[in-house]
Amino acid sequence: MMSLTNVQQDKPTPPVVVRAQLVKKQLEETKTLTIKLENKEADIKELKKALKGKQEELSEMQIRRELGERKLSAAASAAELRAEQLQRKLDDAHNQLKRKEKEFEETMDHLQQDIESLETERGALRDKLKLYAKRGGTHHAAVTPPASLREFAQEAPVKVTPGFAADEVNEALQRQIKVLNW
């Protein structure tokens, strides 16, 4: 019997050798491809993991954005409401100021009329006083005001104009009333 090595040596019919080399080469290629496939699968696994992380990150950012938008919307609504309230207060204060100005003007007009009326009355009383003095009446001594009040009575009448403090007007009116009462 012949051995396989003898057959190969006796017949350089290197087909079995070629076949063995081909199988060996295919095994090496299979091994290389398996390694490449395993590497690609690992890469895919890592990419999927990274993708999942990015999706979670995106989801969190969307939630934060939505919360921020809600807060902004709520703040804008609150600011608008506050602005409306402040505008109403401003309008109320403005209307109240107009009413007070009108009341003040009316009061000043009444006070001016009262002063003019008292001035007229004072003039009439002065005329009566002069008449009694000319007649030599006995009431002259009793009606004559003290010197300080006589001098004050000769002063110009008080004119009330907007801008005078109410206390100043009251004091002036009270002094004139005292003069007229003498």
Side-chain angles (χ1 to χ4, degrees):
M1 261 195 118
M2 273 186 166
S3 72
L4 186 60
T5 55
N6 288 340
V7 172
Q8 285 175 356
Q9 286 175 357
D10 289 343
K11 297 184 176 181
T13 57
V16 175
V17 171
V18 170
R19 178 84 175 135
Q21 287 176 346
L22 186 62
V23 168
K24 185 178 178 184
K25 188 175 181 182
Q26 286 177 343
L27 283 174
E28 286 175 6
E29 285 178 5
T30 302
K31 204 185 241 186
T32 304
L33 288 174
T34 302
I35 291 171
K36 284 182 181 179
L37 182 63
E38 287 173 354
N39 288 340
K40 292 293 179 189
E41 286 177 354
D43 288 346
I44 290 171
K45 191 175 181 180
E46 286 297 316
L47 287 174
K48 283 183 179 180
K49 188 176 179 181
L51 177 64
K52 185 177 180 181
K54 290 294 181 186
Q55 286 174 333
E56 288 175 359
E57 190 177 314
L58 179 62
S59 180
E60 286 177 13
M61 288 173 64
Q62 287 174 336
I63 290 170
R64 276 192 245 128
R65 188 194 77 210
E66 289 172 4
L67 288 174
E69 287 174 352
R70 284 186 204 148
K71 284 181 182 178
L72 180 62
S73 178
S77 296
E80 186 176 331
L81 180 63
R82 181 73 175 140
E84 289 173 4
Q85 290 172 339
L86 290 174
Q87 185 62 47
R88 278 195 298 274
K89 281 186 177 181
L90 178 63
D91 291 345
D92 290 346
H94 184 67
N95 290 336
Q96 187 176 7
L97 176 64
K98 281 185 177 180
R99 280 194 306 274
K100 292 290 185 183
E101 285 175 346
K102 185 177 178 183
E103 288 175 12
F104 179 77
E105 290 295 326
E106 290 173 356
T107 302
M108 295 307 279
D109 289 345
H110 287 296
L111 290 173
Q112 188 63 43
Q113 289 172 1
D114 289 347
I115 289 171
E116 289 170 4
S117 173
L118 290 171
E119 290 289 332
T120 303
E121 200 174 314
R122 181 179 74 174
L125 288 174
R126 241 193 236 152
D127 290 344
K128 279 185 183 181
L129 186 62
K130 285 179 186 176
L131 189 64
Y132 281 127
K134 283 182 184 178
R135 290 187 187 167
T138 59
H139 294 31
H140 178 64
V143 177
T144 305
S148 62
L149 289 178
R150 281 196 307 264
E151 289 171 14
F152 177 75
Q154 299 300 322
E155 291 179 6
V158 174
K159 292 286 184 188
V160 179
T161 57
F164 269 101
D167 291 340
E168 293 175 20
V169 173
N170 283 340
E171 287 177 22
L173 287 175
Q174 287 176 356
R175 286 195 312 244
Q176 286 190 355
I177 290 170
K178 282 182 185 177
V179 168
L180 293 174
N181 284 338
W182 277 97

